[in-house]
Each structure stands twice: as C-alpha cells, then as structure tokens.
C-alpha cells in the first residue's frame, strides 16, 4: 500500500517517527494517542507491506481458523483517522542521530524529533549447510505463512526444526493442512523452557497420537537438496525427506539498526525505566530492548513497556520496573501453563498431581513456604491463582496440603461454595484479566453504587470483554450486597451471560467479523449457539461492519434464506416491490403470468399496498423470481427483518386536499432505504395532508405533509399493541425529510435489540433521547445518515436476481429422489 | 454403495454444514437430511410433530433443529421435541461410507408412508 507522510506547513508539532509497524510499535502509539492525541505528528515505518496485525495469531491463520483480515489490529482507517502516516513495505535501513533523520531502503529520508525503535526480533537460523535453500523458512510473518500454505497445497512432507511453542504451532498447522510433519528438537523434551520433563512428555504423547512424528534429542547436521530443499539430515545419519523446512528454534532481538547508529546495545537495545536509549531523543520498546539485563519475548511485558513509554512521552513518567511473566498457552488445542522457576533443586519441594485418565498434570514448586514455580498441563484453570501467590510471595504453609487441588479447595470453601473462594482472594488478586481489574477495584465499584453485573461492567470494565470472569464478578456482587443485587437486563439467550447491548458493544470494540469469532471471544457456552442468538449475531455483525462481516446463511431464518415467506403448508409466498405503491401494466401482467404459470392459488393485496402471490413451491422460487425480474421488479423483502414497504396516498398530484407530492416522496424514500436489514421489520408511510390517508401515524417512520412542510413521526405500530407515533419534529423540505429518515433508521439499526420493533425501542429509551440524537444534533444526524448510506452501498442488490441466476440453486432442489418401485433417480 | 438395505443419496459435501437437504420420496413425505457443525449427519421425516413444519428449513444448532413455523426444537438424533414440548418425528438411520451418505431404505419407507 502507498502512503505518504502527511506533512503540512501548518503542522508544527514534534515529529515522532516509529520504526516498526508491529505489535509493540503500534501499541505504543495507541497508548500515546490515548493520553494526548494531539501531541505528536506520527510516522510509522514498517518492513512488511501490510497494516498492523497480531503476529501471535499467525498460527490460527496457518491452521485455517482465521484469515489475515481477522488478525488485523489496526486497519488503514485507523492510521487515517489518527493522522498517522504509514510507510509500509519500505524498511528503515539507517538512523543518523547527528542530523536526526532515518533513511529507508527506497532512499526516502525523514527527520524526527523523537525516534521510537520497535524492530522486534529476528528468527534465529541455525548455520547449517543448506540453510539458504528455497523451501527453508522461518515462522515469523505473513509471508512465511503464505509460503507454508502454498507448500501444504502441493502436499508432501514437512520438517519443523524446533520443539518450542512456535515450532509446535507450525507443525500443528501444517499437519491440519494435510502435510506429514516431523518435529526435530535438540533437547530431550518438548518446550523445555516452559514445561518440565513430565509435562513435556505428555505433550509429546498427545502430538504423536495426532499423527506427528516427534524426534527429541535430535541434532540437525545439514539441509539437503538440489536447487530446493529435499530433506534434513541429522548428526546420527538419519535422513528425513521434506519439501518444506520450517526453522523455529528461537528469536533474537533485532538490534542491527540500533547498533549501527551507535546506540548502547547488550543482548537488546539498552533502555532505562522510561524506555529511553543511550540517546535521549531515541526510545525503544518491545522484544528488541534489554531492560535491567532482561529481554522479553511475550506480550504482557510489552504492554507494560508501552504504557511506561507513553507516560514518558507526555511527561507523566511512571517508569517500567520489569515484568514477572507467566505463560498460559494452548498448544495444538492442549492447555499448558507455567510460571516462575520449575527447575527444582536444593531446598525445593515438589507437589505433583497426575490424573492420567483426564490427561492432567500439575506441579507446584515450593521453597521456604513460598511458591517459586508452577507447571500445569491439561487443566490450567488455577494458573492465575498460583501466579498471584508467586508474585506476592505469600506464605502458603497453611494451604500446603490442599495447594495442588487448586483455588476452590485450598481457599477453604471447597468446590461446593464458589463464594467462599472469591471471599478468600486478596484485594489485589486479578479478577478480570482482559481489563486488568482487581478484586479491590470491583468491590469498590460495587460499594460506589454498581449494584448489577451490567453496572460493574459499565464502571470498572470487569467482565466486560471476554466474559469468562462473569461468575467471579457475580459472586463478588452477592458477597458485597447480599440480596440487594439487581438483576441485569436479560441475557441474549441461554448460550451467553451477555445481554444484547453488551454483545453489540464488544462486536464494535473488538471489530469482530464472524459469528464463530464472537462465540469464541465472548465464551459462548454452546458449540454453535441457538436459533435465537445466531440470527441476532448475524445482524449485529452486518450492522457493525457492513461489507466486511462474514454473513452466515445458516444463521438466517428460513424466510431470509429463501427470500420468500414460508406458509403453514410449507409453500412460500412472494411479494415483489411496488415503489411507493405504484404499479403499471407490465408489472401487473408479469404478476398475472406468474400466477397462472405456477398455479398460485391466491393473489392478495397486502396492507402495505403490494401484491402477494401465495402457494409457490420451494423448487419453483428461482423461476418465479426470474420472471418477475424480467419485468423489472425486485424483491419486496416482505420476508425479512428489513425495510418492507412505503405506503403512500396520492398527494398533491391528484388529490384536492393534497399539500405535497406524497407519492413521489414515498418512491424516493423507498429507493433510498430498500434492501436495508434491520432489527425487525420496518414500515414507512407518507401522507399528503393531515387527513393522513396512508395511516402514517402507526408506522415506524411516518411523514405527514402539511402546507409548511413535513411532520416527521416515529415509533408507530399496528399489530397486537397498537401504538401511535411520537412527533419527532417538523422540517421544511423533502431533502430534510429524507435525511432525517435515513438518520432515524440508522439509529434504530445501531441501537435497538434484535427483534425489537421501533415502538418498544422508543418506549425503552424515551422519545426525548431519539429527538436529542436526530433533531437536536445536526452533526450526529449527519454522521448517522452517512453510516446508513455506506451500509446501503453494500445491501442494495436484489437477492432475487442472484438466485434467479442460479446462486444457491441446490437449496431449492432435493438432494435425491426415492422411487420405491424403481432405483434411485 | 446402494444395497437392498441402504440407499445412496449423494456426497456428504452436498449438505451444507449446519444446514440440510431433502430426499423426495414418491408417494410420501420428504426426508430431511441434516449436517451438524461437528460434521455428523442425521435424517428425519421432514415434518415437525407440532404443525408439520418443514424441519429441513429450520436453523440447525448443536444436535437440534428449530422448526421454522413455531420454533419447536427437535433432537436430530432421537426426533424428540426438546424442552417443554412433547412430540416425536420419525428418524431414519444414516451411515457415511467413503464420503457418500446412505439412508436406511426400510425406515425411509416406513417414515414417509
């Protein structure tokens, strides 16, 4: 992608140049923007020709669980919205600290006031003969993943050198992609830095059970091949054939640029507590730095560093004090956890629990009555509790007998009383890992008046992200308030602890794109949801990311899948659109022809001024649509949670009372809003005078034309509970009436819950709220209207036309026919 | 392959995941063939025990399908209505052989009759 640094004469702000468009560099910029978005002009240089993505998620991409788009952290819009210039695909090759400039490989030079180096780390390539052969790669960036996917498509054997986390994830992904995979590991057990021998052995057994070959204690002698890789030879002479070799033996801080620039470099670029290097104008963050003798290769410390760095940049220095790390991982779907020092040795006591049938192994290492390390395999639920005890160096002598059974037992309450376990937690125990909220913070937020789960989520953010700590927060509410806990709004369905509004908020905040992603991130309790949450999620995704979300046909109600209304006998009814209630001889003839040709038993004029053709068989639907399309008619969406109809009266053109052209306006509004999916069905009407012949005051959006302009009415409903509209406001022109209508529709689309019509929605939020958003806020109204039009640019295609051309034809035909007397047709 | 006991109706891949297809039975009701998210395949008479809704048109979730007419949930493995509702839809044994779906002839005839 092409990006040019934004530089105008007017922009005299200090220029912050960031080298590295990865997780650390971008996170540092995010933290900076959160503190003072106007302070610096920012330019980011990235070596890869891509936006910022989550490198940790490359494994799911390789395994086919995610696509590249799923792992983008900040898309092009983020750079644009924050005025950040991104130079992607042209790496910085030199820093001149004298002139305070950086130069790229392409020859561009950029001057800086502050420079941030976030170059991360480079994969370590073991220096054996053949290491440069085509087909030998690292597992570090999206290009590597693309290479692996291409190799997997071609099939064959793969060798992964390195039995650490990265190597095993590469092996898992390639194995899922159908390659025969051998893992070569130098050490006697897998993942020896995270797991002890026993857990490493269990892991090896599990992976071998899945068809991988694991060679431990295996030393690579050379990579063989003529022009491209053909195999790997070990020092004991074994030759393993391979068309792909992945080196995943480790990473090293990427320091060449900093070293060439004369900065102080040890194992990494040396920084102080504020992430400042030996040059006060140059900062560094992430895997490329060395702080207090330590280098880090995990995400958590990196976030700590970015916070300290951003504080320093806006002169609120807090300072980085190093991080104690734990590792909680899923390796090929198996949970593993480790923290601290588990090498054992003098003065250490090991407490071990093995449960072979469950595949669980736990080991806690205690020295002087304090936990110094822990290894968990197969069940990592208590990992954070052990880690908490370890970090605080708490005396565990009282817990010792029960320690290995986990928190609920050791806390004294036993598994039967989860409240006791929560009560036993210390105030600074972490409750919500996503948002870093401690028990003390949750309790104080409850004490200050947050008396429901929803209120806690709204104030201190605990349980507001992935939701896995919801149970803990509920227990804290019960402990703190007893019976005074207020029940929150109902959850979406039994599959989740979240309500509709929470789910919508998280979809937007995390830019989630697909239903499986929402279910994963928000810890759905059912494998694939139910018939009430899936259609709702599909709609919420569609509304949040039009054009970018992944639609799921199987999560749509049958009417929306078949683009027709299912009737009680299993046949369908079909309603073509009649714009503003108008029709003509061609359309009427086409409808009449369809009725005859397909033996439709009934045609009916609907309440919304259209013709409904009943009794069409599922297999005939594509042919019916083709005939109606041929006469210029499109789907009326009478089957969907969407804009149905715009009812009109005849207005000033013919009516002796008509004050405005209500029919013409109705047509225009229908042309603007057709095809839009909504939380529920949505009806519009336009009446040409206060006699209101189109019954606009019982529609979701109604317009009553008067001499001086247009009265806009909202929230009306026929149906079981008849509700007359509220007056939104009065406007002078047709254009305003259209604009207000678009803004109102979008507000409803974005904020109402699925299957909530406008009437109950407005009663819930109050008509004053709607007036404040639409009538009293011109900028907000315009933004809503603009978002509606963007969404419409993706949705105004006639679903009938696509199906008539053969899309999803198989849904209309039986898979097979069974004729009992004869053979299968 | 098709035998006197088993009827070959096509490839597993012809049934959408979390979706269904039908088998038309001459002189009787359709059979609905479902494929779950986990890749299991089930066959039921395409009639909800409640008001005879076409189960093949419902939303498949977990091991159940929600009838499109009144949202009864029917177990794909037993044909029983789940939750508070009572009723049962005949099931047809299915087996997969080399990626082909086979349904039991006798049960198909009995169910569809």
């Amino acid at each position: 992608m092409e990006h040019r640094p934004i530089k105008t004469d007017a922009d005299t702000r200090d220029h912050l140049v960031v080298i590295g468009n990865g997780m650390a560099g971008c996170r540092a910029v995010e933290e900076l923007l959160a503190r003072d978005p106007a302070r610096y002009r920012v330019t980011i240089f990235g070596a890869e020709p891509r936006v910022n993505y989550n490198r940790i998620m490359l494994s799911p991409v390789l395994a086919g669980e995610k696509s590249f788009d799923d792992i983008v952290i900040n898309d092009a819009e983020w750079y644009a919205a924050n005025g950040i210039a991104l130079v992607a695909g042209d790496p910085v090759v030199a820093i001149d600290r004298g002139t305070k400039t950086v130069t790229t490989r392409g020859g561009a030079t950029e001057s800086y006031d502050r420079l941030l180096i976030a170059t991360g780390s480079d994969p370590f390539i073991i220096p054996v003969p053949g290491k440069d052969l085509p087909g030998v790669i690292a597992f570090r960036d999206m290009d590597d993943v693309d290479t692996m996917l291409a190799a997997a498509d071609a099939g064959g054997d793969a060798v992964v050198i390195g039995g650490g986390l990265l190597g095993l994830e590469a092996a898992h992904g390639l194995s899922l992609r159908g390659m025969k995979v051998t893992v070569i590991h130098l050490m006697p057990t897998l993942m020896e830095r995270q797991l002890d021998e026993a857990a490493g052995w269990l892991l090896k057994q599990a992976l071998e059970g899945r068809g991988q070959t694991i060679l431990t204690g295996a030393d690579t002698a050379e990579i063989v091949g003529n022009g491209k890789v053909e195999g790997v030879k070990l020092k004991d002479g074994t030759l393993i054939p391979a068309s792909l070799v992945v080196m995943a033996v480790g990473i090293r801080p990427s320091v060449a640029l900093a070293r060439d620039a004369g900065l102080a470099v040890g194992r990494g670029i040396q920084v102080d507590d504020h992430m400042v290097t030996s040059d006060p104008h140059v900062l560094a963050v992430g895997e490329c730095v060395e702080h207090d003798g330590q280098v880090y290769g995990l995400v958590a410390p990196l976030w700590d560093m970015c916070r300290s760095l951003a504080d320093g940049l806006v002169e609120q220095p807090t300072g980085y004090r190093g991080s104690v790390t734990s590792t909680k991982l899923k390796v090929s779907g198996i949970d593993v956890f480790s923290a601290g020092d588990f090498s054992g040795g003098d003065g250490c006591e090991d407490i071990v629990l093995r449960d072979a049938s469950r595949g669980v192994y736990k080991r806690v290492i205690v020295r002087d009555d304090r936990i110094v390390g822990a290894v968990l395999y197969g069940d990592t639920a208590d990992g954070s509790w052990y880690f908490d005890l370890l970090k605080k160096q708490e005396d565990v002598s009282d817990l010792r007998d029960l320690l290995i059974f986990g928190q609920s037992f050791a806390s004294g309450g036993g598994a039967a009383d989860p409240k006791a376990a929560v009560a036993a937690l210390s105030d600074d125990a972490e409750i919500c890992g996503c948002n870093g909220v401690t028990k003390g913070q949750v309790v104080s937020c409850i004490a200050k008046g947050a008396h429901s789960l929803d209120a806690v989520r709204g104030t201190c953010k605990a349980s507001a992200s992935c939701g896995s700590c919801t149970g803990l927060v509920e227990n804290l509410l019960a402990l703190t308030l007893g019976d005074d806990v207020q029940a929150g709004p109902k959850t979406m369905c039994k599959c989740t602890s979240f309500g509709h509004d929470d789910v919508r908020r998280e979809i937007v905040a995390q830019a989630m794109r697909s239903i499986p992603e929402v279910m994963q991130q928000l810890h759905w309790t059912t494998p694939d949801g139910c018939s009430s949450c899936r259609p709702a999620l599909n709609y919420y995704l569609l509304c949040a990311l039009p054009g970018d979300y992944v639609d799921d046909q199987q999560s749509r109600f049958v009417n929306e899948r078949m683009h027709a209304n299912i009737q009680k006998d299993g046949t369908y009814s079909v309603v073509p659109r009649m714009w503003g209630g108008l029709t003509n001889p061609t359309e009427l003839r086409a409808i009449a022809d369809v009725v005859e040709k397909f033996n439709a038993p009934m045609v009916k004029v609907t309440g919304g001024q259209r013709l409904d053709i009943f009794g069409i068989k599922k297999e005939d639907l594509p042919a019916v649509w083709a005939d109606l399309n041929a006469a210029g008619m499109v789907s009326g969406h009478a089957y969907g949670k969407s804009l149905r109809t715009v009812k009109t009266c005849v207005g000033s053109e013919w009516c002796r009372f008509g004050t405005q052209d209500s029919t013409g306006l109705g047509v225009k509004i229908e042309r603007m809003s057709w095809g839009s999916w909504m939380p529920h069905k949505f009806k519009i009407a336009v009446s040409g005078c206060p006699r209101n012949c189109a019954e606009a005051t019982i529609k979701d959006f109604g317009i009553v034309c008067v001499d001086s302009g247009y009265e806009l009415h909202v929230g009306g409903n026929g149906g079981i509970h008849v509700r007359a509209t509220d007056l939104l406001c009065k406007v002078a022109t047709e254009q305003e009436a259209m604009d207000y209508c678009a803004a109102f529709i979008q507000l409803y689309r974005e904020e109402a819950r699925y299957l909530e019509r406008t009437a109950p929605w407005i009663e819930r939020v109050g008509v004053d709220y709607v007036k404040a958003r639409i009538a009293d806020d011109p900028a907000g109204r315009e933004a809503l209207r603009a978002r509606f039009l963007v969404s419409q640019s993706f949705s105004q295609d006639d679903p009938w036309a696509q199906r008539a051309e053969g899309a999803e034809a198989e849904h209309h035909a039986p898979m097979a026919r069974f004729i009992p007397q004869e053979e299968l047709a | 392959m098709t035998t006197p006991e088993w009827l070959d109706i096509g490839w597993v891949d012809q049934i959408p995941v979390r979706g269904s297809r039908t088998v038309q039975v001459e002189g009787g009701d359709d059979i609905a063939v479902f494929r779950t998210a986990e890749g299991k395949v089930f066959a039921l008479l395409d009639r909800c025990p409640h008001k005879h809704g076409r189960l093949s048109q419902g939303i498949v979730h977990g091991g159940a399908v929600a009838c499109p007419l009144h949202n009864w949930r029917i177990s794909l493995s037993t044909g029983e209505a789940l939750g508070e509702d009572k009723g049962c839809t005949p099931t047809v044994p299915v087996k997969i052989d080399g990626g082909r779906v086979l349904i039991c002839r006798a049960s198909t005839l009995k169910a569809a009759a």
Side-chain angles (χ1 to χ4, degrees):
Chain A
M1 58 198 317
E2 287 268 330
H3 282 275
R4 295 188 176 283
I6 300 161
K7 189 163 191 178
T8 61
D9 293 338
D11 198 343
T12 56
R13 295 175 296 169
D14 275 359
H15 190 195
L16 173 68
V17 169
V18 182
I19 306 176
N21 188 35
M23 299 181 69
C26 281
R27 179 62 168 243
V29 172
E30 283 179 32
E31 291 280 354
L32 174 64
L33 293 174
R35 283 160 181 75
D36 187 351
R39 179 66 164 272
Y40 290 92
R41 182 163 67 85
V42 179
T43 303
I44 303 178
F45 288 90
E48 291 180 59
R50 298 182 173 89
V51 292
N52 169 229
Y53 65 89
N54 186 343
R55 203 178 293 281
I56 298 170
M57 302 305 262
L58 285 174
S59 299
V61 174
L62 175 63
E65 293 153 9
K66 288 189 186 296
S67 70
F68 177 73
D69 289 344
D70 295 332
I71 68 167
V72 167
I73 301 175
N74 290 303
D75 59 13
E77 281 169 18
W78 175 79
Y79 295 91
N82 290 292
I84 298 166
L86 170 65
V87 184
D90 188 13
V92 171
V93 291
I95 301 167
D96 185 334
R97 295 195 288 123
T99 60
K100 297 217 281 186
T101 55
V102 298
T103 305
T104 69
R105 188 167 60 199
T109 298
E110 190 72 51
S111 64
Y112 63 79
D113 298 299
R114 288 291 193 96
L115 180 66
L116 170 59
I117 304 177
T119 44
S121 52
D122 299 320
F124 179 57
I125 299 293
I126 44 174
V128 290
K131 69 179 168 59
D132 297 321
L133 280 172
V136 181
I137 58 164
F139 184 17
R140 191 62 190 157
D141 60 28
M142 200 53 212
D143 291 334
D144 296 327
V145 172
D146 287 338
T147 307
M148 286 194 242
L149 293 179
D153 279 346
D157 298 346
V159 166
V160 176
I161 304 179
L165 174 68
L166 204 59
L168 295 181
E169 293 203 327
H172 177 58
L174 292 169
S175 185
L176 285 180
R177 295 275 181 184
M179 292 190 95
K180 186 172 172 297
V181 181
T182 304
V183 178
I184 297 175
H185 193 49
L186 185 60
M187 305 303 288
T189 59
L190 294 176
M191 289 183 73
E192 73 285 347
R193 281 197 293 175
Q194 290 85 18
L195 299 179
D196 65 2
E197 202 177 311
W201 181 82
L202 283 169
L203 184 60
K204 178 167 183 269
Q205 296 294 110
L207 295 176
E208 284 174 341
R210 294 176 191 194
Q212 296 176 27
T213 306
I214 313 276
L215 302 177
T216 49
D219 201 354
T220 304
E222 67 168 303
I223 297 167
V224 295
N226 193 3
K228 64 176 179 56
V229 66
E230 284 162 19
V232 176
K233 190 183 260 179
L234 301 183
K235 288 204 172 143
D236 67 6
T238 313
L239 180 71
I240 305 150
S243 57
L244 175 76
V245 173
V246 181
M247 284 240 204
V249 291
I251 51 171
R252 289 182 161 176
S254 173
V255 297
L257 204 55
R259 182 180 284 134
D260 291 348
L263 295 168
V265 172
R267 287 160 67 208
I269 304 164
Q270 287 169 339
V271 294
D272 67 9
D273 289 354
H274 306 113
M275 315 313 291
V276 179
T277 67
S278 56
D279 176 338
H281 299 288
V282 182
L283 306 125
V285 71
E287 291 182 336
C288 62
V289 307
E290 173 185 324
H291 173 264
D292 202 13
Q294 290 286 322
V295 294
Y296 296 94
L298 292 168
V299 167
L302 194 148
W303 294 166
D304 294 341
M305 289 180 204
C306 287
R307 281 191 281 271
S308 310
L309 173 119
D311 282 343
L313 277 173
V314 296
E315 281 127 36
Q316 312 165 337
T318 44
Y320 178 59
R321 300 267 179 267
S323 300
V324 187
T325 58
S326 67
T327 318
K328 192 170 184 176
L329 304 165
K330 230 180 181 49
V331 186
S332 312
I334 301 160
D335 288 319
V336 301
F337 170 90
S338 74
D341 178 6
F342 49 84
S343 55
D346 285 349
C348 283
E349 300 170 85
D350 279 352
I351 310 173
V352 176
L353 172 112
R354 288 174 201 273
D355 184 341
S357 59
R358 274 172 66 218
V360 168
Y361 167 82
K362 299 179 179 184
R363 175 167 164 239
V364 177
I365 301 96
V366 177
R367 188 194 291 135
D368 299 331
D369 292 327
R370 277 154 182 88
I371 295 181
V372 296
V375 181
L376 307 175
Y377 177 95
D379 172 5
T380 56
D382 285 310
S384 41
W385 181 60
Y386 292 126
F387 187 50
D388 192 44
L389 293 172
L390 184 153
K391 269 197 299 191
K392 289 203 291 257
Q393 284 297 289
E394 221 154 84
D395 188 324
V396 294
S397 48
D398 291 344
L399 302 173
R400 197 185 177 291
D401 291 348
L402 295 169
L403 196 58
I404 199 70
F405 299 110
Q407 182 179 13
S408 49
F409 263 82
S411 300
D417 186 3
K419 273 189 218 155
V422 181
L425 284 177
S426 66
D427 268 358
D428 53 357
E430 190 171 82
I431 296 292
C432 172
C434 299
N435 296 295
V437 189
T438 63
K439 175 182 165 186
Q441 288 167 304
V442 176
V443 170
S444 103
C445 144
I446 296 170
K448 285 181 192 146
H451 287 190
S452 68
L453 179 62
D454 220 42
V456 171
R457 283 173 175 167
T459 17
C460 69
K461 295 279 168 233
S463 152
S465 292
C466 82
S468 61
C469 61
T470 301
L472 289 176
V473 174
E474 283 171 342
N475 284 332
L476 281 174
L477 278 162
L479 275 174
T480 317
L481 298 172
D483 294 336
D484 295 337
V485 181
Q486 294 161 4
K490 286 204 312 211
T491 60
M492 257 180 87
C493 62
K494 285 176 183 163
C495 306
T496 176
S497 62
F498 282 103
H500 284 266
D501 300 343
D502 297 315
V503 171
R504 295 202 84 165
R505 192 191 60 236
E506 287 306 316
I507 285 174
V508 172
Q510 300 187 40
M512 293 190 260
R513 290 179 65 246
S514 70
I515 291 176
E517 185 181 3
V518 176
M519 291 184 175
Q520 179 67 25
Q521 296 289 354
L522 301 183
H523 289 245
W524 238 244
T525 56
T526 47
D528 51 356
C530 70
S531 55
S532 59
C533 62
R534 289 222 322 255
L537 290 181
N538 203 48
Y539 170 72
Y540 292 154
L541 289 161
L542 169 162
C543 183
L545 290 171
D548 197 29
Y549 83 109
V550 184
D551 194 73
D552 179 22
Q553 285 292 310
Q554 303 300 354
S555 293
R556 288 183 177 274
F557 185 66
V558 58
N559 284 0
E560 289 186 5
R561 258 181 292 138
M562 288 291 149
H563 307 286
N565 280 348
I566 194 165
Q567 301 297 340
K568 59 189 278 189
D569 65 350
T571 65
Y572 288 82
S573 77
V574 171
V575 182
R577 201 165 278 291
M578 286 184 176
W579 305 96
L582 296 176
T583 186
N584 58 42
T586 314
E587 291 182 353
L588 289 170
R589 203 166 282 126
I591 290 172
D593 287 346
V594 161
V595 172
E596 276 184 359
K597 183 169 165 188
F598 296 95
N599 292 317
M602 184 163 93
V603 188
K604 185 184 179 308
V605 180
T606 70
Q609 298 182 335
R610 297 183 295 188
L611 291 171
D612 194 349
I613 309 162
F614 283 86
I616 303 291
K617 295 192 192 74
K618 189 178 68 170
E619 51 268 37
D620 288 338
L621 285 171
V624 168
W625 299 330
D627 286 0
L628 294 171
N629 274 169
M633 304 181 88
V634 300
S635 167
H637 288 84
Y639 43 79
K641 307 303 174 209
S642 61
L643 185 273
R644 295 280 174 94
T645 173
V646 181
K647 187 174 183 178
T648 60
C649 70
V650 54
S652 57
E653 196 183 349
W654 297 89
C655 176
R656 63 199 163 103
F657 300 110
T659 62
Q660 311 278 357
D661 177 15
S662 54
T663 317
L665 178 56
V667 172
K668 280 183 208 160
I669 284 194
E670 192 163 352
R671 294 265 178 207
M672 171 185 78
S673 54
W674 77 279
S676 53
W677 299 107
M678 310 255 196
H680 209 304
K681 61 184 171 187
F682 192 98
K683 299 178 178 179
I684 298 177
V686 188
S687 282
C689 79
R691 284 168 188 76
N692 192 14
C693 295
E695 295 159 341
T697 47
I698 52 162
K699 295 292 183 281
D700 295 282
F701 191 85
I703 300 174
V704 177
C705 302
V706 290
D707 273 335
S708 54
Y710 305 82
E711 283 178 359
L712 307 182
H713 296 262
V714 294
N717 194 350
I720 299 178
H721 302 291
V722 180
R723 182 180 193 271
T725 45
D726 293 304
L727 179 66
L728 177 66
C729 61
K730 210 179 127 186
V731 296
T733 65
E734 259 194 3
Q735 187 59 49
E736 284 172 295
M738 306 255 299
D739 292 352
Y740 281 60
C741 177
F744 175 77
I745 291 176
Q746 187 65 7
L747 185 68
Y748 169 62
R749 295 182 77 230
E750 289 180 3
E751 299 192 358
R753 296 165 189 162
Y754 194 66
L755 296 189
E756 186 175 42
R757 284 201 65 179
T758 56
W761 169 59
I762 284 179
E763 286 183 355
R764 177 163 68 80
V765 300
V767 71
D768 289 340
Y769 170 76
V770 177
K771 283 180 180 166
R773 293 290 304 272
I774 308 288
D776 308 338
D777 177 6
R781 177 175 71 238
E782 178 50 32
L784 282 165
R785 188 185 77 97
R787 286 203 293 280
F788 180 65
L789 296 183
V790 167
S791 175
Q792 285 297 81
S793 71
F794 296 102
S795 65
Q796 282 193 328
D797 51 354
D798 179 26
W800 284 0
Q802 299 166 15
R803 295 336 180 262
E805 281 166 14
E808 294 168 15
E810 69 279 7
H811 294 321
H812 300 279
M815 184 179 182
R817 289 190 172 81
F818 180 36
I819 302 162
Q821 287 75 29
E822 300 169 23
E823 238 339 308
L824 175 71
Chain B
M1 57 178 282
T2 292
T3 66
E5 289 80 35
W6 294 93
L7 181 73
D8 183 332
I9 58 168
W11 296 102
V12 174
D13 295 351
Q14 289 175 261
I15 312 166
V17 174
R18 288 184 284 109
S20 72
R21 295 293 299 277
T22 55
V23 175
Q24 222 171 46
V25 181
E26 195 187 73
D29 285 321
D30 287 1
I31 301 296
V33 189
F34 299 90
R35 185 172 170 201
T36 68
E38 294 168 322
K40 291 189 185 142
V41 176
F42 298 97
L44 301 176
L45 184 67
D46 194 10
R47 270 164 68 111
C48 180
H50 175 218
K51 301 258 181 184
H52 303 172
R54 299 289 174 98
L55 297 176
S56 58
Q57 308 298 296
I59 291 178
V60 176
H61 54 95
V65 59
C67 175
L69 292 192
H70 305 99
N71 210 30
W72 276 36
R73 284 182 307 123
I74 307 298
S75 161
L76 294 177
S77 53
T78 65
E80 298 275 355
L82 300 172
E84 300 296 301
D85 299 320
K86 294 281 173 276
C88 187
T89 296
T91 59
V92 175
V94 180
K95 67 175 185 179
I96 310 287
D97 186 2
R100 302 289 292 186
V101 183
L102 299 129
I103 60 174
C104 173
R105 274 172 191 277
S107 307
T108 299
L109 281 172
K110 198 175 146 202

